[in-house]
Amino acid sequence: MSQMQNNQQKDVGKEACEDMLSILHKLEFGDTAPLHKPSNLKPIYYSIFALLILGAGYIAVQILSTGKPTEVSVIGTPQNTSSFGLALDAQLEVSGFVVAPESTTVSANVTGRVTGISVGLGDLVQAGQAVATLDDRQAKIELNTFETNLKSQLSLREVRLEDLALAQASSDRAKRLLEEQLISDEAYEQVISQVIIKKIAAIQLEQSIDELKNGILQTQLYLDDLIIRSPFNGIVTAMSANVGEIISPASAGGTFTRSGICTITDLSSLEFHFDVNERFLPQVVNSDSISVSFTSQPDLLVEAKIKQIAPITDSQTGTVIVITEPVEQVPKINPGATVTGVFTKKPDHLNDAPKAILIPNSAVHILDGKTYVFVEVNGVARRRLVDARQKANDDYLLTDLPQRLTVISWSASPLTDGQDIIIKR
């Protein structure tokens, strides 16, 4: 049996050799090439053969290396004080969501039919900007009527004042004639009565003019109320009405009558609301720092502070709402987004230790002016945005570390987010 296997192996080897000689004969390589072929083509065939060997070797290496984790070296942030610094132990981790306290549904002061909407969902608006208009045809007609009557009354006032001036002149002349006994007392009294009548008419005319002016002012204010404006700077987060629908501030939100046009939210005043079990309130109150991470943006980490703790406890869940706010303005985050808050407290004996770690230059990656590092998370490389400052020896100092991290200081090949890795021991 063994001899038969050896014969079969020899036959296979013989066939492989014959195949190789056939290939070399076709390439006119070595002693198999005819003698009449030019000898200056041999270097070209050598080069082609060498490239084929190299290409096959490269493909074999790639195939063998596919699926293997990249080998890396790591630096772990210390749990206690060291020459590098300190990483805080998370004392409490809770889930919450983003809330925009400056959010309002923009409505009108009067009832009217919507004739135009100038904003859409997601539009940025400024304080005082018109977002919609109501039907103003009737109000404009009333304003035009008031203005026409006012012009007429003002013209009449000029005539009445001239008549009053003539009557006063006649009364002065009649008084002199009465003193000279050239007219009777009865004639003088008639002249005086005409003056009084004209004064009363002038006063009534002034009152009518004032009423028309007040009517014009009220109509102008009513027309201004028909233009619905944004109360503050923000973004349109919801649309409540369409053109043709009736808006009423006293509406209950029926099918054809709306109570508002749209909802505007100020994204510059975001808050983070957490439902914390009442047993953990002391840990929240005594925390030294609060870091907030976002489900939608894993690389974003925001430092926050406590703004308010609700004075009541939910009797059904036994939780208290803890409201925190970012220390600095954060990038655009949608209200309602889920977040995770980590309330940490530094041990008393480590209060003076720096919250930083020193890493080599090879561990830092700069993209679009921002500094990133790769960290090891359950055997996978994850990119994290960090605050890093370069030192004189080209090393970097990571500061304001939110939690314990395993920073990748070296890798056998370039890393990508989510790449499988294996730590070099």
Side-chain angles (χ1 to χ4, degrees), residues 269-340:
S269 59
L270 297 178
E271 297 176 348
F272 310 122
H273 288 203
F274 300 100
D275 288 331
V276 180
N277 192 289
E278 57 184 344
R279 295 177 301 172
F280 303 124
L281 279 181
Q283 294 174 274
V284 171
V285 175
N286 298 325
S287 61
D288 292 324
S289 65
I290 306 170
S291 60
V292 180
S293 59
F294 302 83
T295 304
S296 58
Q297 300 185 35
D299 293 337
L300 181 60
L301 197 66
V302 175
E303 183 181 356
K305 61 181 180 180
I306 295 177
K307 180 180 180 180
Q308 184 182 5
I309 298 178
I312 59 175
T313 302
D314 191 321
S315 59
Q316 295 182 353
T317 62
T319 58
V320 177
I321 297 178
V322 177
I323 302 175
T324 64
E325 59 183 358
V327 176
E328 298 179 354
Q329 188 171 356
V330 299
K332 181 181 176 181
I333 297 294
N334 295 331
T338 57
V339 297
T340 300

Side-chain angles (χ1 to χ4, degrees), residues 10 70 98 124 212 250 290 371:
K10 288 180 181 180
T70 301
V98 180
L124 295 174
L212 289 173
I290 306 170
T371 305

